[in-house]
């Protein structure tokens, strides 16, 4: 039946790879090692040779472990001290997870936060523009004359512009206010029609001719687009609140003295 099949599958997945001193080394042992090391380190254990190398590592570790037991290292004072240190660390982590791990926020809390903080979810006005950048006013006037006579903007950018964007027809991509120098920004955002050209604009970099490619007005992101982000933010806030509240309670129970 299904239960027996699942049990059989588990047994097959956790097959015994080797035995050392009568103790089995299983596929689960190997998988656990791979799960707890970084991807680059795990890469050396891929393929048949890698699997063999990993198994040899596990066998070597088990041999060292058995030898340590036989030599009574489990009762060594330094070992006992280290075990207690590790146990304390694990217990601390376990206690923190038990305190905040089960916390969650409701859909109603998320929606209320969204409604009360609309300004946080407003996408600012942005545009996409192309430009031609030259060193002199004369060059700019010549380029603008060519454009008004019908030359394609991309061709003019390739021919005249000294900006590296000339290889993509002068395209600067999308940008918001505050990302460009003020003179350029003012002229670019003043354009209203797609394909519209600016007058010649002077900045610290030279003389520009700007073409508007796209214009996106400011808009509020939808609840569905941001609800996961809000839930994560609220959950973190709730965890911090519960954690620090607990710490304040414990400080009144266990005096803390900081040595200067």
């Amino acid at each position: 039946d299904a239960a027996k099949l699942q049990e059989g599958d588990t047994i097959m997945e956790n097959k015994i790879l080797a035995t050392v001193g009568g103790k089995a080394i299983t596929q689960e042992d190997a998988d656990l090692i791979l799960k707890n090391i970084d991807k680059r380190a795990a890469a050396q254990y891929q393929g048949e040779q890698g699997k063999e190398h990993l198994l040899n590592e596990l066998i070597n570790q088990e041999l060292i472990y058995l030898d340590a037991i036989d030599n009574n290292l489990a009762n060594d004072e330094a070992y006992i001290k280290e075990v207690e240190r590790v146990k304390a660390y694990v217990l601390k982590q376990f206690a923190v997870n038990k305190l905040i791990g089960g916390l969650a926020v409701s859909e109603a809390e998320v929606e209320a936060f969204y409604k009360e903080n609309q300004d946080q979810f407003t996408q600012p006005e942005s545009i996409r523009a192309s430009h031609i950048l030259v060193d002199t006013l004369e060059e700019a006037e010549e380029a603008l004359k060519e454009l008004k006579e019908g030359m394609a903007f991309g061709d003019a950018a390739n021919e005249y512009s000294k900006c590296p964007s000339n290889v993509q027809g002068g395209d600067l991509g999308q940008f918001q206010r505050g990302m460009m120098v003020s003179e350029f920004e003012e002229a670019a955002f003043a354009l209203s029609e797609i394909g519209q050209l600016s007058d010649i604009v002077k900045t610290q970099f030279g003389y520009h001719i700007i073409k508007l490619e796209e214009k996106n007005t400011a808009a509020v992101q939808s609840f569905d687009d941001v609800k996961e982000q809000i839930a994560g933010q609220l959950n973190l806030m709730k965890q911090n609140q519960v954690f620090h509240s607990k710490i304040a309670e414990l400080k009144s129970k266990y005096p803390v003295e900081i040595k200067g």
Side-chain angles (χ1 to χ4, degrees), residues 88-101 243 246:
Y89 173 79
V90 172
L91 185 57
K92 291 170 191 174
Q93 298 305 307
F94 180 78
V96 169
N97 289 335
K98 195 169 182 63
L99 178 66
I100 65 175
F243 178 79
K246 184 67 175 179

Side-chain angles (χ1 to χ4, degrees), residues 97-142:
N97 289 335
K98 195 169 182 63
L99 178 66
I100 65 175
L103 296 176
V105 292
S106 68
E107 179 94 4
E109 288 176 294
V110 174
E111 194 164 357
F113 185 89
Y114 174 76
K115 289 177 179 177
E116 292 165 12
N117 298 274
Q118 291 277 304
D119 57 313
Q120 290 189 29
F121 308 107
T122 300
Q123 294 278 26
E125 179 187 17
S126 66
I127 62 172
R128 178 171 149 255
S130 299
H131 81 143
I132 294 168
L133 173 63
V134 294
D135 288 321
T136 68
L137 179 59
E138 291 75 20
E139 288 175 296
E141 288 173 337
E142 176 63 27

